[in-house]
Amino acid sequence: MKKVPNRTFLTEDELPKQYYNIAADMPNKIRPYLHPATFEPVGPADLAPLFPMALIEQEMATDRYIDIPKEVQEVYATMRPSPLVRAYRLEKALGTPAKIYYKYEGTNPSGSHKLNTAVPQAFYNKAEGIKRIATETGAGQWGTALSIACSMYDMECAVYMVRVSYDQKPYRKTLIETYGASILPSPSNQTNVGRAILEKDPNSLGSLGIAISEAVEDAATHDDTHYALGSVLNHVIIHQSIIGLEAKKQFDKVDDYPDIVIGCNGGGSNFSGLAFPFVHDKIVDGVDTEFIAVEPAACPKLTKGLFAYDFGDTAGMAPVTPMYSLGHDFVPAGIHAGGLRYHGDSALLSQLFDDGIVGAQAVHQTEVFKAAVQFAKTESILPAPESAHAILVAMQKALECKESGEEKTIFFNLSGHGHFDLSAYEAYLGGNMQDFEYTDEMLKAGLATMPNIPFQ
Ligand SMILES: *Cc1c(COP(=O)(O)O)cnc(C)c1O
């Protein structure tokens, strides 16, 4: 058999010209977003203070394919495709008959998949005459990506960064400021939401839910400012389909196809971006592929949460969405995978999980870092702690193949590198990392805050 190259690319001509939108193919459509004050379905006008109309249209679109603007294609061509890598050395170290592949999204200037959506979001805002974008960031990857995209389009960018990550990763601040954005730890004293939380708890670790509320308030109170979200929303998931669309063409080139598709799950964007073009084949053509969204045991929305309407943010300013949630004021433990500390999930991914089309698994951070270190030693890339959740489960599946002798093709998303996460590696290598349990009391407290709106 012909040996598959270590890395497979695409020519510029072969890069996708359209995004894929799973809304066209899913058997059960998602329920509508609701207005946070009235609980009535939101229309485009409700979202107009926050987003440009082109993104609002994508948010509600049911077209299967959506054109990528020429200008965005040109930017993608400077940094894509990301390589499809065959993990020969990892396979050998594990002694598995399985074939392991990953898509490495850390090769672009931002170091994670987030730039795939930051570029079109900045582009559409600029086209609508917006001068400034406010956003939140967890671990800092999204703030970095959006600050890069805003510098490309000569726009201002204000980043509210979750306090625990801001303290864990001081160099993120410098990086984001280098691209010209401003950055504040959240909760901050710049917004009503932030001040109210600091009054109750001056030492608040912050959460993505709080930072989103601050950024939404900022956008809603400045005429020239829009809000941008780095995950969760349908238009973000649509943009990230570029990952899976490229991967399908790359798999064609090496004459292979995944049996198992794995991604880590924060708000669902890297998992969905990689997986949904393959989920299409499962739904439409009946291909028997297993999909696993991997989440931290300290923030287990799919595996422990409730599928219900909940607020997307802590203060209840963002739309109420139908999703798996742990409750919008849940503040997860300060695990090192800051990008996975979101209380809820993508509506699209939540629906597909509820319908049994994709699966999920929760894992603890010490086992995640053990896998990350083995990956770094074999494949030489230092993975982001978030991405290492996917690595761990890919390794577990490969070891199951070793037991059974099956030569499955395992495919995961290496969503970013971990060059800004060295304090986490330091904690792990020094034996100073602990695991956090998610308790029934936390679940009860979280569910009690959810707005009890029955599904129709
Ligand atoms: C933000 C981030 C995640 C988690 O967000 P998703 O929307 O679930 O993808 C995962 N990996 C990396 C590297 C990230 O930056």
Side-chain angles (χ1 to χ4, degrees):
M1 214 169 81
K2 207 165 119 252
K3 191 167 179 282
V4 168
N6 179 245
R7 302 193 302 167
T8 301
F9 290 93
L10 297 170
T11 66
E12 192 168 331
D13 282 349
E14 291 169 329
L15 288 178
K17 309 282 185 290
Q18 294 179 309
Y19 297 119
Y20 171 63
N21 179 15
I22 195 135
D25 293 313
M26 55 204 293
N28 293 309
K29 306 302 174 207
I30 61 172
R31 294 168 177 85
Y33 296 170
L34 306 181
H35 191 284
T38 63
F39 294 163
E40 292 297 319
V42 298
D46 297 308
L47 297 174
L50 298 182
F51 303 106
M53 209 39 80
L55 291 177
I56 295 171
E57 280 166 14
Q58 290 182 3
E59 194 60 30
M60 305 188 166
T62 50
D63 319 58
R64 181 167 294 110
Y65 295 104
I66 294 173
D67 289 342
I68 304 174
K70 271 264 161 332
E71 296 86 340
V72 173
Q73 286 184 38
E74 282 166 17
V75 177
Y76 281 161
T78 66
M79 55 199 190
R80 303 199 66 84
S82 63
L84 176 72
V85 186
R86 174 78 185 269
Y88 282 115
R89 283 176 291 168
L90 179 62
E91 289 170 16
K92 194 163 168 225
L94 296 174
T96 178
K99 291 176 276 181
I100 306 175
Y101 294 85
Y102 56 92
K103 188 81 166 143
Y104 182 37
E105 288 294 316
T107 55
N108 72 58
S110 81
S112 82
H113 68 290
K114 300 253 171 39
L115 198 53
N116 300 335
T117 183
V119 170
Q121 289 197 50
F123 168 79
Y124 288 121
N125 274 290
K126 178 75 175 185
E128 206 171 87
I130 287 299
K131 302 214 158 38
R132 182 171 170 274
I133 300 182
T135 197
E136 74 295 325
T137 195
Q141 290 106 327
W142 168 241
T144 303
L146 192 67
S147 65
I148 292 174
C150 283
S151 77
M152 283 178 188
Y153 293 100
D154 204 15
M155 279 190 284
E156 285 177 52
C157 179
V159 179
Y160 294 85
M161 182 166 183
V162 177
R163 163 67 80 176
V164 59
S165 295
Y166 186 91
D167 292 339
Q168 281 170 351
K169 301 170 192 205
Y171 292 121
R172 276 284 174 199
K173 173 177 187 289
T174 308
L175 182 65
I176 287 170
E177 286 177 342
T178 301
Y179 289 112
S182 62
I183 177 165
L184 286 169
S186 166
S188 77
N189 58 15
Q190 295 292 301
T191 64
N192 290 327
V193 171
R195 284 187 292 268
I197 288 165
L198 286 175
E199 205 161 289
K200 271 201 269 176
D201 178 10
N203 300 318
S204 170
L205 292 179
S207 69
L208 275 167
I210 294 170
I212 293 171
S213 297
E214 289 207 272
V216 168
E217 181 182 326
D218 183 321
T221 53
H222 292 91
D223 275 347
D224 63 350
T225 303
H226 268 167
Y227 167 69
L229 190 60
S231 183
V232 182
L233 294 177
N234 304 340
H235 65 263
V236 178
I237 307 273
I238 287 170
H239 302 155
Q240 293 296 356
S241 69
I242 188 93
I243 307 172
L245 291 167
E246 284 178 4
K248 281 178 94 168
K249 292 189 177 190
Q250 289 163 310
F251 270 111
D252 279 348
K253 289 198 172 195
V254 298
D255 204 13
D256 207 339
Y257 191 93
D259 298 300
I260 308 174
V261 175
I262 302 165
C264 66
N265 174 33
S269 77
N270 89 86
F271 170 79
S272 303
L274 182 86
F276 285 1
F278 295 93
V279 174
H280 163 277
D281 298 354
K282 182 169 187 167
I283 297 173
V284 176
D285 304 324
V287 178
D288 183 21
T289 309
E290 182 181 4
F291 296 93
I292 310 169
V294 187
E295 56 191 19
C299 192
K301 50 284 194 87
L302 289 180
T303 51
K304 295 256 175 86
L306 183 69
F307 189 36
Y309 271 111
D310 196 9
F311 294 97
D313 66 323
T314 302
M317 302 165 69
V320 179
T321 64
M323 61 181 175
Y324 273 86
S325 177
L326 299 170
H328 61 279
D329 68 355
F330 172 59
V331 177
I335 54 166
H336 288 278
L340 305 183
R341 294 175 72 245
Y342 184 60
H343 67 274
D345 218 324
S346 143
L348 293 166
L349 174 56
S350 293
Q351 186 65 51
L352 290 165
F353 176 71
D354 202 59
D355 290 338
I357 294 168
V358 307
Q361 189 177 327
V363 293
H364 283 287
Q365 67 174 354
T366 52
E367 55 179 350
V368 165
F369 274 83
K370 186 171 177 217
V373 168
Q374 187 172 9
F375 185 81
K377 285 182 180 162
T378 50
E379 292 295 307
S380 307
I381 297 169
L382 185 85
E386 291 85 357
S387 319
H389 286 67
I391 295 174
L392 169 63
V393 172
M395 285 167 60
Q396 288 174 348
K397 290 288 166 189
L399 291 173
E400 282 174 27
C401 287
K402 187 176 177 176
E403 287 287 308
S404 66
E406 286 174 290
E407 293 177 27
K408 287 189 179 172
T409 296
I410 299 169
F411 179 40
F412 70 91
N413 202 358
L414 186 60
S415 50
H417 67 60
H419 296 176
F420 286 86
D421 301 283
L422 291 176
S423 64
Y425 280 89
E426 185 179 43
Y428 174 73
L429 295 172
N432 298 318
M433 184 174 282
Q434 62 179 118
D435 288 331
F436 297 96
E437 287 307 328
Y438 180 82
T439 63
D440 290 346
E441 289 72 53
M442 291 175 185
L443 182 62
K444 240 167 115 190
L447 298 189
T449 67
M450 288 166 64
N452 209 1
I453 304 165
F455 277 164
Q456 300 298 330

